[in-house]
Amino acid sequence: MADYREAPLASRPTTLDPNEYYNLSPEYRRAEQERAALRSNLKRQYQLKLNDPHRQQLIEDPALSRWVYARANPYSHFRPTGKTSLLGALFGVAPLFILYYVFKTNRDGKDAQIKAGTLERKYKMSY
Amino acid sequence: MLKILIPTLFLIPTTWLTPQKWLWPTVMTQSMMIALISLTWLNNSSESGWTTMNSLIATDPLSTPLLVLSCWLLPLLVLASQNHLSSEPSSRQKTFLSLLSLLQVFIIMAFSATEMIMFYVMFEATLIPTLLVITRWGNQAERLNAGIYFLFYTLVGSLPLLVALLMLQNCTGTLSLLVLHYSQPVTMAPMSSKIWWVACMGAFLVKMPLYGAHLWLPKAHVEAPVAGSMVLAAVLLKLGGYGMMRLMVVLAPTSKEMAYPFIIMALWGVVMTGSTCLRQTDLKSLIAYSSVGHMGLVVAGILIQTPWGLTGALILMIAHGLTSSALFCLANTNYERTHTRTMLLARGLQTALPLMTAWWFIASLANLALPPLPNLMGELMIISSLFNWSPWTLLLTGVGTLITASYSLYMFLMTQRGPLPKHMMALPPSFTREHLLMALHLLPLMLIILKPAILWGCFP
């Protein structure tokens, strides 16, 4: 631990806190050091891009790009599971049949009333 | 009519013969003059309705608002494309403008056709320049996929329409819109009349789009450059509505039964696409899905075939054309500055570009159908006539209106309020050209409040 120096822009992770690392194996500590070095390198690159006076465009975040792609392309990665099939049936198929039944019975009822002559035609502004 | 068609056709030689320095002002001026002359069409003073006639082309109160809308839109397309095309070589810019002018010629001829076959040919012809604009000048690799979806969805829908029209010509002897109302109803077996109904309506339902066949629209709108998105949203969708309104007169008794599934799909589509809008991350995709929702209401209004329904459909088509086009222009102003359509990355713009926020505000309010804008008037007429058709539709249309309001507000708050991202830099201030573009979109919309009678069509 003595030769680990904090990167200028990175904070010391909790597992490298001296109070914590008495129980950690040397391999774990080495792995943590490497990971911390990678993270601080990424942060350094971001800060370099952020403060570059000649930068004209957005800084590309690969995680954001992946997320945007995932949100924009659901159909190519669609898998019919139990849950998706249920949702599809519940929101895509069943309402169409339910609405057809509702509208048809309503309109046929009105038709029957007209045929029987019982429809009360109130004054209507819109038609 | 020729005083509009010939100048529009000759926009093409104009673009190729003007020197590069004067290209954009010249095309803009010529198309603006054509737009101003087209306003004279709004004076429909004939008893039969049909004016500006020659044997092939006429206008009537149904086609006039749509024609004026498309003529008005051409200078706006030119204005909107100026920035992103400025880095391209001169011949490519001229090709783009020629494609837009050609598209305009086809649209004018489609809306003013008196013969259904001419309408059909022009309906198909508008696909080609739009396809070229989307696939050549779009910004992402997905534009090719978008072009294929756009082309093939519409083609597959419209091939049966050709067969149906030829069959109608065979049976009635004429396809002239002037006399289509007076022709004998076509008698055939029940099953074949249902198939014939679907064949007639299918193309227009795909074009509108109806909710089940709407998959091409978000792709095409998102991948198209701003002029492509504007013309698609404002005019090409309305071609479908216009075709439906014209053709439904000959489909009379079959429509009573056949309209049910499509009205249901349209109304359910309003609710579903509205909900989809609420979880969109891509700004243009949100506006595209909102187009599907509004057009779903229009489809329902047309399919119930009542005077108020048809009037509301026409008013909503015009109002939506202007509003949707305005929103795409606003999304483009964002895109040109940040080169991303993701809403998360382009937030809090009120602090950076406050004047544009005013336009965003008005456009979002128009989208959510604020009174007294014609968006609300159209929607209200459709909702009222649907309620008269069956009171249960109010559940769907009411929920749809609520969801429309919430996603329009969501779009406004997401793009304008909130924290400006810290890594945002080099945001050029809003250009006068962009302010002019927005004003030219929203001022007509607000002026229509004063005289909506020009948009009523031939109905009440």
Side-chain angles (χ1 to χ4, degrees):
Chain A
M1 272 307 139
D3 40 341
Y4 169 73
R5 266 180 297 139
E6 260 172 7
L9 297 170
S11 49
R12 188 187 284 258
T14 43
T15 44
L16 290 177
D17 190 351
N19 296 327
E20 265 221 334
Y21 63 65
Y22 287 120
N23 294 328
L24 299 172
S25 61
E27 293 81 23
Y28 185 81
R29 281 181 216 163
R30 221 171 296 125
E32 271 308 310
Q33 284 177 31
E34 283 170 19
R35 277 181 233 140
L38 282 169
R39 267 200 307 272
S40 52
N41 191 27
L42 282 172
K43 287 176 190 172
R44 178 176 167 273
Q45 287 183 3
Y46 177 78
Q47 285 294 327
L48 278 177
K49 282 190 199 152
L50 186 67
N51 296 311
D52 177 11
H54 299 296
R55 175 174 65 89
Q56 287 288 335
Q57 53 201 319
L58 288 177
I59 302 173
E60 197 219 326
D61 179 2
L64 187 65
S65 312
R66 281 200 301 269
W67 179 74
V68 167
Y69 174 82
R71 287 295 281 249
N73 295 299
Y75 301 116
S76 36
H77 304 287
F78 177 73
R79 254 183 337 115
T81 64
K83 177 181 167 195
T84 58
S85 312
L86 184 68
L87 281 175
L90 203 60
F91 283 100
V93 177
L96 302 178
F97 288 98
I98 297 173
L99 287 169
Y100 183 81
Y101 173 74
V102 165
F103 290 155
K104 200 85 169 63
T105 37
N106 182 280
R107 301 264 303 163
D108 287 345
K110 215 191 312 183
D111 257 348
Q113 276 189 321
I114 294 177
K115 283 207 177 84
T118 57
L119 182 68
E120 189 195 323
R121 290 180 196 263
K122 296 193 276 267
Y123 176 72
K124 276 204 176 80
M125 191 77 160
S126 74
Y127 58 112
Chain B
M1 173 58 67
L2 280 181
K3 62 183 178 288
I4 304 285
L5 259 184
I6 304 267
T8 317
L9 199 57
F10 274 78
L11 258 182
I12 302 176
T14 308
T15 55
W16 285 99
L17 293 174
T18 40
Q20 176 61 28
K21 181 173 162 215
W22 289 104
L23 175 63
W24 292 91
T26 314
V27 176
M28 173 72 191
T29 318
Q30 186 170 351
S31 41
M32 192 51 123
M33 289 199 295
I34 297 172
L36 290 173
I37 299 176
S38 76
L39 288 173
T40 55
W41 276 332
L42 288 170
N43 178 25
N44 289 302
S45 52
S46 142
E47 278 206 3
S48 72
W50 295 96
T51 49
T52 330
M53 294 198 65
N54 78 37
S55 53
L56 304 165
I57 283 184
T59 62
D60 90 326
L62 175 54
S63 55
T64 306
L66 294 163
L67 276 166
V68 173
L69 175 67
S70 38
C71 290
W72 184 254
L73 214 72
L74 184 59
L76 270 46
L77 297 177
V78 170
L79 207 49
S81 320
Q82 197 169 337
N83 193 9
H84 76 90
L85 284 179
S86 55
S87 54
E88 300 211 6
S90 164
S91 61
R92 236 177 267 166
Q93 293 184 15
K94 293 180 178 177
T95 315
F96 187 84
L97 289 172
S98 320
L99 278 173
L100 288 182
S101 316
L102 193 61
L103 179 62
Q104 181 73 354
V105 169
F106 291 147
I107 292 173
I108 295 178
M109 292 214 278
F111 279 129
S112 54
T114 46
E115 182 84 23
M116 275 312 287
I117 293 287
M118 176 158 158
F119 174 75
Y120 176 78
V121 171
M122 291 303 146
F123 179 80
E124 299 296 305
T126 57
L127 291 180
I128 304 294
T130 321
L131 179 74
L132 290 173
V133 165
I134 295 178
T135 47
R136 175 65 187 76
W137 278 277
N139 285 311
Q140 273 78 35
E142 288 83 9
R143 67 185 191 271
L144 303 169
N145 202 15
I148 292 186
Y149 265 72
F150 167 66
L151 186 68
F152 283 101
Y153 263 68
T154 317
L155 282 180
V156 166
S158 58
L159 205 52
L161 175 63
L162 181 61
V163 176
L165 285 177
L166 291 174
M167 204 215 82
L168 187 58
Q169 162 84 22
N170 225 6
C171 291
T172 51
T174 177
L175 277 178
S176 172
L177 286 168
L178 307 169
V179 296
L180 216 50
H181 292 254
Y182 307 113
S183 52
Q184 294 282 4
V186 182
T187 49
M188 49 180 123
M191 195 54 185
S192 40
S193 77
K194 288 190 171 62
I195 298 177
W196 185 61
W197 194 98
V198 173
C200 282
M201 288 286 112
F204 305 124
L205 289 171
V206 167
K207 193 84 174 168
M208 283 301 296
L210 185 67
Y211 174 59
H214 70 289
L215 228 45
W216 63 271
L217 186 127
K219 288 193 204 297
H221 274 135
V222 165
E223 302 301 333
V226 64
S229 295
M230 284 165 72
V231 79
L232 261 174
V235 182
L236 293 179
L237 300 189
K238 289 36 175 189
L239 268 177
Y242 176 75
M244 275 176 81
M245 286 205 231
R246 286 290 190 207
L247 212 45
M248 279 201 81
V249 287
V250 300
L251 299 171
T254 329
S255 301
K256 196 159 175 283
E257 296 299 316
M258 283 304 291
Y260 279 96
F262 300 102
I263 298 179
I264 291 165
M265 296 268 275
L267 290 176
W268 187 239
V270 176
V271 173
M272 287 299 281
T273 53
S275 318
T276 316
C277 277
L278 281 172
R279 65 183 300 274
Q280 283 299 320
T281 53
D282 181 336
L283 185 56
K284 277 179 92 167
S285 198
L286 199 157
I287 306 172
Y289 274 107
S290 92
S291 281
V292 181
H294 286 288
M295 287 297 114
L297 263 183
V298 171
V299 167
I302 298 176
L303 282 172
I304 56 179
Q305 288 285 292
T306 63
W308 268 46
L310 293 166
T311 311
L314 185 55
I315 298 182
L316 187 54
M317 284 206 285
I318 306 295
H320 171 263
L322 287 167
T323 314
S324 209
S325 186
L327 284 170
F328 276 116
C329 289
L330 285 167
N332 186 53
T333 61
N334 263 7
Y335 184 77
E336 283 177 359
R337 285 168 175 75
T338 55
H339 290 288
T340 176
R341 291 191 300 262
T342 317
M343 285 199 282
L344 263 183
L345 288 175
R347 291 192 289 174
L349 293 174
Q350 190 167 12
T351 33
L353 304 169
L355 290 177
M356 211 36 102
T357 303
W359 295 121
W360 269 105
F361 188 52
I362 301 177
S364 303
L365 289 179
N367 203 21
L368 63 86
L370 188 77
L373 290 167
N375 305 65
L376 178 77
M377 297 306 140
E379 278 189 20
L380 214 51
M381 293 179 98
I382 298 179
I383 294 177
S384 317
S385 52
L386 273 171
F387 182 75
N388 187 29
W389 184 80
S390 168
W392 293 95
T393 55
L394 196 66
L395 286 173
L396 292 170
T397 50
V399 171
T401 316
L402 183 66
I403 300 183
T404 307
S406 41
Y407 71 64
S408 300
L409 280 177
Y410 167 70
M411 177 177 63
F412 174 70
L413 294 174
M414 195 63 174
T415 49
Q416 305 304 120
R417 301 285 159 85
L420 192 60
K422 292 183 191 53
H423 54 72
M424 194 74 76
M425 51 167 46
L427 284 178
S430 310
F431 302 118
T432 314
R433 178 185 54 87
E434 292 167 349
H435 286 300
L436 177 63
L437 186 60
M438 295 313 304
L440 286 178
H441 272 111
L442 297 174
L443 222 55
L445 196 62
M446 294 193 269
L447 284 174
I448 291 174
I449 304 174
L450 301 175
K451 193 172 164 94
I454 45 181
L455 299 182
W456 278 343
C458 12
F459 313 110

